[in-house]
């Protein structure tokens, strides 16, 4: 067994190892080899004496900042070991090699088993991340109880006027690159630790996804782009997956969320995952509730003279490779998650709200 550098000749062997992800060949090049920040693909690969891939840990390098200053970080994803090599400490070797790649290595959506392994290897769980839900389909007593909580949350948030401050629109594409980049340049320094959400990143992550389709809720102050919320609708569920805008602007965030709630009136459920407390407050004010269960987000911090600050991470569901995999799986289902035809006033079917829903 030995570690080897990435070479295209190992791609088929890795894909065989990832056999339970049937759509991975369709997204491989986009996910790993079209990095929006121009960073190289440097996965951890182990092979046996016959040059067969027996261990793999994918990586997605990013540009990130810590209170406006560059932060060395990457995402860990797609951790697989061949069945005949499990229980032989290969996983420990893989993670040890992974730890050398960046000062901060992150994993989002960690399983029960991986949770124990990462904790043993010195990873720390980040607790300030929560799921928020808005349920409209009340098919059970439990959902009726959640509905009561949603109504209470909305009543507590009705005192603040939201409408009239922004021009809001829902589009199937991002605003012009210059406008998005100017928005992020104005906003970046207000965050603690955050992935750079410039146009190149948002365009790659959402507009250029090979299988899925996203919508963009855009807020304007006159001619100035004030903020963008990225969402995905499938099978009766709307997922709020990302946000680009100022770190602190409660009125803006609440306006964007309200626009989502109104535009997709037909959605049985709306969900959002975020570490942003202000955004969480806005979701509660718009009638969402917060379940007790929390997504698992782990971070490994290496030994480095330039340690990160104690500022928290701004994380949304779209940061996770789990979202890009879920979007791919939804797109590959027999039910068509979006329509490529244009209907009902020129809007694509996956973007169009149900005008007849209450």
């Amino acid at each position: 067994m030995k570690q080897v550098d990435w070479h295209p000749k190992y791609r088929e062997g890795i894909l065989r190892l990832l056999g339970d992800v049937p759509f991975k060949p369709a997204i491989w090049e986009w996910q790993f080899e079209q990095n929006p920040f121009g960073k190289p693909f440097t996965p951890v690969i182990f092979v046996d004496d016959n040059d067969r891939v027996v261990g793999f840990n994918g990586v997605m390098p990013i540009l990130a900042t810590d209170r406006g200053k560059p932060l060395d970080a990457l995402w860990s994803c797609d951790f697989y070991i061949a069945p005949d090599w499990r229980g032989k400490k290969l996983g420990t070797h893989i993670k040890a090699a992974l730890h050398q790649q960046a000062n901060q290595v992150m994993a989002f959506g960690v399983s029960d088993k991986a949770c124990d392994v990462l904790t043993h290897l010195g990873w720390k769980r980040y607790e300030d991340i929560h799921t928020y839900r808005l349920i409209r389909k009340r098919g059970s007593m439990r959902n009726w109880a959640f509905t009561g909580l949603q109504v209470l949350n909305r009543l507590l948030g009705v005192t603040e006027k939201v409408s009239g401050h922004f021009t809001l629109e829902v589009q199937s594409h991002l605003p012009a690159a210059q406008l998005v980049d100017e928005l992020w340049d104005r906003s970046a320094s207000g965050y603690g630790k955050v992935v750079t959400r410039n146009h190149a990143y948002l365009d790659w992550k959402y507009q250029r996804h090979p299988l899925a389709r996203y919508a963009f809720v855009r807020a304007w102050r006159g001619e100035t782009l004030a903020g963008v919320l990225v969402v995905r609708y499938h099978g009766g569920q709307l997922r709020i997956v990302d946000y680009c805008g100022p770190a602190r602007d409660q009125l803006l965030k609440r306006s964007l969320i309200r626009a989502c709630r109104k535009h997709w009136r037909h959605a049985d459920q709306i969900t959002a995952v975020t570490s942003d407390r202000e955004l969480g407050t806005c979701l509660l004010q718009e009638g969402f509730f917060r379940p007790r269960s929390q997504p698992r987000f782990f971070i490994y911090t290496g030994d480095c003279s330039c340690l990160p600050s104690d500022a928290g991470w701004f994380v949304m569901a779209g940061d996770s490779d789990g979202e890009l995999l879920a979007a791919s799986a939804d797109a590959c289902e027999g039910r068509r998650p979006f329509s490529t035809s244009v209907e009902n006033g020129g809007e694509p079917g996956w973007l169009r709200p149900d005008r007849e829903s209450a």
Side-chain angles (χ1 to χ4, degrees):
M1 177 192 70
K2 64 178 180 179
Q3 183 180 354
V4 295
D5 294 333
W6 160 248
H7 189 281
K9 71 177 183 179
Y10 293 117
R11 175 175 168 172
E12 290 304 315
I14 295 169
L15 290 174
R16 282 195 295 271
L17 203 60
L18 277 60
D20 62 341
V21 188
F23 49 79
K24 181 60 77 169
I27 66 171
W28 174 277
E29 185 176 352
W30 164 78
Q31 181 183 359
F32 291 132
E33 299 185 52
Q34 296 180 0
N35 188 280
F37 304 122
K39 291 179 175 287
F41 179 44
T42 57
V44 178
I45 307 170
F46 276 80
V47 299
D48 63 12
D49 293 339
N50 296 316
D51 210 33
R52 175 178 69 102
V53 177
V54 295
F56 173 75
N57 201 140
V59 295
M60 296 173 66
I62 54 173
L63 283 182
T65 55
D66 182 354
R67 292 178 175 167
K69 298 180 180 179
L71 175 65
D72 181 32
L74 61 77
W75 286 104
S76 167
C77 56
D78 292 324
F79 173 46
Y80 282 79
I81 296 175
D84 55 325
W85 278 85
R86 293 171 188 169
K88 299 180 180 180
K89 297 189 180 300
L90 176 55
T92 301
H93 291 294
I94 292 174
K95 291 302 181 184
L98 179 68
H99 295 165
Q100 304 304 311
Q101 292 210 21
N103 181 236
Q104 293 249 291
V105 184
M106 302 173 291
F108 196 0
V110 177
S111 67
D112 292 343
K113 185 175 182 180
C115 179
D116 294 336
V117 173
L118 293 181
T119 300
H120 177 72
L121 293 176
W123 293 57
K124 303 296 182 184
R125 182 170 177 177
Y126 188 76
E127 300 288 350
D128 291 336
I129 184 166
H130 300 278
T131 299
Y132 298 84
R133 289 180 184 155
L134 177 66
I135 295 176
R136 291 193 176 117
K137 192 172 184 179
R138 306 170 184 91
S140 66
M141 290 299 296
R142 187 167 181 262
N143 283 356
W144 275 105
F146 286 142
T147 300
L149 180 58
Q150 292 172 179
V151 171
L152 177 60
N153 285 340
R154 283 201 68 192
L155 288 174
L156 293 174
V158 295
T159 56
E160 185 175 355
K161 183 181 178 182
V162 175
S163 61
H165 295 271
F166 305 95
T167 300
L168 295 155
E169 59 181 0
V170 178
Q171 298 286 343
S172 59
H173 57 278
L174 285 164
Q178 180 180 346
L179 295 174
V180 176
D181 287 343
E182 289 174 352
L183 170 62
W184 185 248
D185 288 343
R186 294 194 306 268
S187 306
S189 61
Y191 288 87
K193 301 183 185 72
V194 64
V195 176
T196 298
R197 283 161 162 79
N198 58 15
H199 184 273
Y201 172 77
L202 297 177
D203 174 56
W204 165 78
K205 194 76 179 274
Y206 303 114
Q207 291 194 142
R208 298 185 182 275
H209 193 297
L211 301 176
R213 296 292 184 270
Y214 292 86
F216 304 90
V217 185
R218 299 146 48 147
W220 302 84
R221 283 191 181 98
E223 299 296 319
T224 302
L225 180 64
V228 178
L229 209 60
V230 184
V231 304
R232 180 171 65 88
Y233 178 78
H234 173 78
Q237 293 199 30
L238 182 74
R239 294 173 173 84
I240 299 173
V241 299
D242 217 335
Y243 165 77
C244 176
R248 294 290 172 264
D249 192 330
Q250 188 164 336
L251 187 59
L252 168 65
K253 294 174 184 177
R254 190 169 174 189
S255 298
L256 288 166
I257 295 164
R258 179 167 293 187
C260 287
R261 189 169 55 77
K262 289 185 174 181
H263 190 86
W264 283 274
R265 298 181 183 90
H266 60 304
D268 296 331
Q269 180 172 272
I270 306 176
T271 61
V273 174
T274 183
S275 63
D276 181 23
R277 294 183 182 180
E278 184 178 74
L279 186 58
T281 297
C282 295
L283 289 161
L284 295 175
Q285 290 173 336
E286 285 299 309
F288 287 66
F289 70 95
R290 194 175 81 182
R292 292 183 179 179
S293 60
Q294 290 181 256
R296 290 177 177 144
F297 174 37
F298 276 78
I299 304 169
Y300 180 85
T301 302
D303 296 328
C304 177
S305 58
C306 300
L307 290 174
S309 74
D310 58 358
W313 273 96
F314 174 83
V315 175
M316 296 285 293
D319 285 302
S320 169
D321 66 305
E323 163 55 29
L324 67 86
L325 296 177
S328 301
D330 288 346
C332 290
E333 284 184 3
R335 302 192 312 271
R336 293 168 65 195
F338 59 89
S339 170
T340 55
S341 64
V342 175
E343 52 186 327
N344 193 24
E347 292 178 334
W350 55 272
L351 180 65
R352 169 173 44 83
D354 185 347
R355 312 283 185 189
E356 299 177 357
S357 297

